């Protein structure tokens, strides 16, 4: 690695921890080491107080009662608790769950497990822009449906679903509404109660807090929602999630929530300008550039771009000593399958292989964006010079008519 | 995934990138892979009519770093070989030379296929 400063544009994978959150956490490793469940000495009381305060900070960010926050180890656990927990708790009412094909694996794999447990799951297609088809969603609801789980914004494309409309459908049909809000909490306004969301999973490390701590919001009143615990042993978190609380992590999570409440609007405004600058620079200076997913309903800091006739991982190798992004290409994953999210949007495999996801963060600077534009444009041109299909495309060959030798 | 220095060198400075005139009888062209699979290799050889030796080889590849490096290496190895010698190039030799990780072995297989396909094209033109 050279002396050049690394540029981090992979904030949808994880964000750096805000130094102010780190600062808040530090005393809870050594000076204040108590277990929040120790009720009989000051160490325990201090820890409990710190956890309660963090719960308030997070509750304030979501405009919910702090008692409605159930701490977990992260969003994956929160998704599992919400889906399996509702399935088990409401088994007398029904066994059917509806979700989207573009959900995160934490939701999809939890749903797969529910199917093994005897449940039925409908995985809905999305429209070409990544948005849910509300008519199809309503049509999928049966008298056995207990839960609709739809992510607030997609991790790969940043596309934001119509939460209010989905909430209204759930209300109309008496179905619980859960959302994996991992990519939105702390980035844009997320008030679940205004939208009829009953359960919401999120995590600290996507909002400038520490890794290893997340939460599930569980609505307590009108309706009172309960989930069957998935981890047992002591009955912490109102019996929904046992286990000693990660006090330093929770304190950092709370601090991150407080900072987000103050700064997220300004961050979002600034990042959307930088994101647009990046996106427009590619569209203006390179041919055959496609932005994936709906651009009207989209997170301000994300863009997913296909550079046609260039393979994503190869492209990344031209700059990944300096710039960190992620690709929908097969080659970056062990599975050799390109992104299932982009495929669900109706992109051909070739465009999915050609995609890069840029996710900016609050520490991204304009200088970094300028450098990224220059380096990646150069990389795309380099890869196109190497690409036989780019050459064929420029010669006017109809690539769809070529008989490729599949392998 | 950490790649070997040789692989990175072939990726950053690929050898023999380009296009030969495929209409010439002395040129054999192999086009293997598919855009849907994320790899397309076009490998070309030009055979010296008198000596029967491969005097030039060119490639263009759409694919990951391993695919590009594998085809770049293949063109280097092809030059100066006879057709029969060229046919003995084995994908495992490419795997070894570039230290390809297991998940990238298919890139070397594709390079071997491209060599065989280019030779077959040359032979069919000169049968």
């Amino acid at each position: 690695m050279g002396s050049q400063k690394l540029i981090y544009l992979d904030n949808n994978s994880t964000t750096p921890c805000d130094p102010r959150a780190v600062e808040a956490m530090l005393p809870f490793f050594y000076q204040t080491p108590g277990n929040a469940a120790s009720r009989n000495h000051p160490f325990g009381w201090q820890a409990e107080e710190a956890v309660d305060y963090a719960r308030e900070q997070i509750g304030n960010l979501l405009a919910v009662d702090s008692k409605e926050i159930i701490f977990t180890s992260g969003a994956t656990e929160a998704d599992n608790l919400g889906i399996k927990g509702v399935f088990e708790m409401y088994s007398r009412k029904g066994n059917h769950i509806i979700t989207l094909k573009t959900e995160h694996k934490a939701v999809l794999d939890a749903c797969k497990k529910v199917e093994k447990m005897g449940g039925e799951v409908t995985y809905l297609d999305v429209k070409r822009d990544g948005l849910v088809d509300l008519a199809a969603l309503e049509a999928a609801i049966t008298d056995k449906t207990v839960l609709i789980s739809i992510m607030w914004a997609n991790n790969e494309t940043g596309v934001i679903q119509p939460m209010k409309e989905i909430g209204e459908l759930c209300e109309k049909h008496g179905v619980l509404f859960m959302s994996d809000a991992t990519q939105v909490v702390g980035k844009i306004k997320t008030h679940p109660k205004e939208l009829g969301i009953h359960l919401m999973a999120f995590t600290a490390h996507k909002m400038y807090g520490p890794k290893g701590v997340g939460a599930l919001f569980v609505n307590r009143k009108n309706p009172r929602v309960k989930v069957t615990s998935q981890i047992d042993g002591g009955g912490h978190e109102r019996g929904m999630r046992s286990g000693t609380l990660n006090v330093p992590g929770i304190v950092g999570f709370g601090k991150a929530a407080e900072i987000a409440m103050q700064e997220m609007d300004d961050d979002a405004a600034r990042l959307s300008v930088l994101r647009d600058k990046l996106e427009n620079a590619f569209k203006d200076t390179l041919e055959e550039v496609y932005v994936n997913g709906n651009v009207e309903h989209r997170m301000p800091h994300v863009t997913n771009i296909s550079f046609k006739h260039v393979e994503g991982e190869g492209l990344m190798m031209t700059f990944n000593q300096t710039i960190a992004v992620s690709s929908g290409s097969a080659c970056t994953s062990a599975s050799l399958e390109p992104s299932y999210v982009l495929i669900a949007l109706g992109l051909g495999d070739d465009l999915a292989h050609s995609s890069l996801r840029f996710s900016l963060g609050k520490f991204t600077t304009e200088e970094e964006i300028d450098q990224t534009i220059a380096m990646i444009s150069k990389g795309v041109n380099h890869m196109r010079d190497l690409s036989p299909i780019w050459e064929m495309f420029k010669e006017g060959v109809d690539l769809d008519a070529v008989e490729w030798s599949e392998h | 995934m950490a790649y070997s220095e040789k692989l990175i060198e072939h990726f950053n400075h690929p050898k023999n990138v380009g296009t030969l005139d495929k209409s010439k009888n002395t040129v054999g062209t192999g086009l293997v892979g598919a855009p849907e699979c994320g790899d397309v290799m076009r490998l070309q050889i030009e055979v010296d009519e008198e000596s029967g030796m491969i005097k030039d080889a060119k490639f263009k590849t759409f694919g990951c770093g391993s695919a590009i490096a594998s085809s770049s290496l293949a063109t280097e190895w092809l030059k100066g070989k006879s057709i029969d010698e060229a046919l003995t190039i084995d994908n495992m030799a490419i795997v070894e030379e570039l230290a390809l990780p297991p998940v990238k072995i298919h890139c070397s297989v594709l390079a071997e296929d491209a060599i065989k396909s280019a030779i077959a094209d040359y032979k069919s033109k000169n049968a």
Side-chain angles (χ1 to χ4, degrees), chain B residues 10-69:
Chain B
H10 272 288
F11 177 78
N12 285 336
H13 305 104
K15 313 292 183 294
N16 310 309
V17 175
T19 308
L20 299 171
D21 181 357
K22 66 178 179 217
S23 64
K24 279 164 79 173
N25 271 343
T26 53
V27 170
T29 300
L31 181 67
V32 296
E36 291 73 32
C37 305
D39 296 297
V40 176
M41 274 183 202
R42 190 192 62 204
L43 192 145
Q44 295 180 297
I45 52 169
E46 181 162 18
V47 180
D48 185 86
E49 280 171 285
E50 280 175 23
S51 65
M53 302 296 241
I54 296 172
K55 65 174 184 185
D56 201 2
K58 295 276 185 208
F59 85 95
K60 277 199 177 187
T61 291
F62 161 87
C64 63
S66 302
I68 287 165

Side-chain angles (χ1 to χ4, degrees), chain A residues 197-209:
Chain A
I197 298 169
H198 305 112
L199 302 112
M200 188 168 89
F202 54 106
T203 189
H205 80 96
K206 307 271 196 203
M207 48 181 280
Y208 312 100

Side-chain angles (χ1 to χ4, degrees), chain A residues 136-174:
Chain A
L137 176 62
E138 184 161 24
I141 298 171
T142 72
D143 55 0
K144 293 278 177 214
T145 307
V146 288
L147 180 71
I148 290 176
S149 186
I150 291 183
M151 69 200 315
W152 198 312
N154 185 268
N155 48 310
E156 291 194 30
T157 60
V159 169
I160 298 171
Q161 299 293 349
M163 304 308 283
K164 190 164 184 288
E165 287 78 0
I166 300 167
E168 284 164 3
L169 273 184
C170 290
E171 170 80 33
K172 180 175 158 193
H173 293 275

Side-chain angles (χ1 to χ4, degrees), chain A residues 26-133:
Chain A
L26 288 177
F28 293 92
F29 287 101
Y30 182 75
Q31 286 99 320
T32 314
N35 185 327
S38 297
R39 294 274 154 76
N40 302 307
H41 53 66
F43 294 93
W45 301 333
Q46 285 169 346
E48 191 185 19
E49 198 181 316
V51 167
D52 285 347
Y53 186 64
R55 221 187 279 279
E56 292 280 342
Q57 289 169 311
I58 296 166
N60 288 344
L61 178 66
L62 307 187
V64 304
D65 187 333
S66 64
K67 292 191 188 72
E68 296 176 304
I69 303 297
I70 306 298
F71 286 117
T72 66
S73 63
T76 295
E77 190 195 329
D79 282 327
N80 273 269
L81 176 58
I83 287 167
K84 295 177 195 166
V86 164
F87 176 70
E88 288 189 48
M89 182 62 71
Y90 294 86
S91 59
R92 274 184 307 171
K93 184 173 177 276
N95 70 339
H96 180 228
I97 292 174
I98 304 170
T99 190
L100 298 181
K101 286 184 179 169
T102 50
E103 292 288 314
H104 191 271
K105 286 286 181 191
V107 167
L108 294 175
D109 288 350
C111 284
K112 293 255 154 61
K113 183 58 77 65
V114 161
E115 288 181 289
K116 282 189 186 150
M117 292 157 74
E120 279 180 38
V121 181
T122 302
Y123 303 92
L124 288 176
D125 287 313
V126 292
K127 295 187 283 188
R128 285 192 76 89
D129 60 3
L131 290 174
V132 62
D133 180 336

Side-chain angles (χ1 to χ4, degrees), chain A residues 309-311 313-315 317-318 331-334 336 338 349-350 353-354 382-389 391-392 395 402 404-407, chain B residues 1 3 7-8 11-12 14 17 19 31-42 59-66 68 103-104 106 110:
Chain A
H309 308 314
V310 171
E311 196 277 330
E313 193 216 327
L315 174 58
M317 268 185 74
T318 65
C331 284
T332 53
S333 67
L336 294 178
D349 281 8
D350 53 341
H353 278 296
S354 302
H382 173 72
M383 295 302 285
R384 282 181 173 167
D385 288 343
L386 283 177
S387 170
I389 45 182
E391 185 183 297
M392 292 161 90
E395 285 169 352
V402 175
W404 301 104
S405 59
E406 307 271 342
H407 60 287
Chain B
M1 215 182 301
Y3 290 116
L7 188 151
I8 289 169
F11 177 78
N12 285 336
V17 175
T19 308
L31 181 67
V32 296
E36 291 73 32
C37 305
D39 296 297
V40 176
M41 274 183 202
R42 190 192 62 204
F59 85 95
K60 277 199 177 187
T61 291
F62 161 87
C64 63
S66 302
I68 287 165
V103 63
K104 298 294 184 184
H106 70 276
L110 200 61

Side-chain angles (χ1 to χ4, degrees), chain A residues 241-289:
Chain A
R241 202 279 191 177
S242 290
T244 298
L245 290 174
N246 171 2
V247 177
I250 288 167
V251 168
F253 194 1
K255 185 66 186 176
E258 182 192 302
I259 296 169
M261 216 167 145
Q262 292 156 359
E263 300 180 2
M264 68 181 177
D265 290 347
D266 290 344
D267 285 340
R270 186 179 72 87
L271 292 178
S272 74
V273 171
L274 291 185
R275 186 270 313 273
D276 291 348
K277 181 177 187 180
L278 179 74
E279 195 172 276
N280 290 331
F282 291 138
K283 284 199 293 196
D284 293 347
T285 59
L286 297 168
E287 295 170 75
E288 297 293 307
V289 170

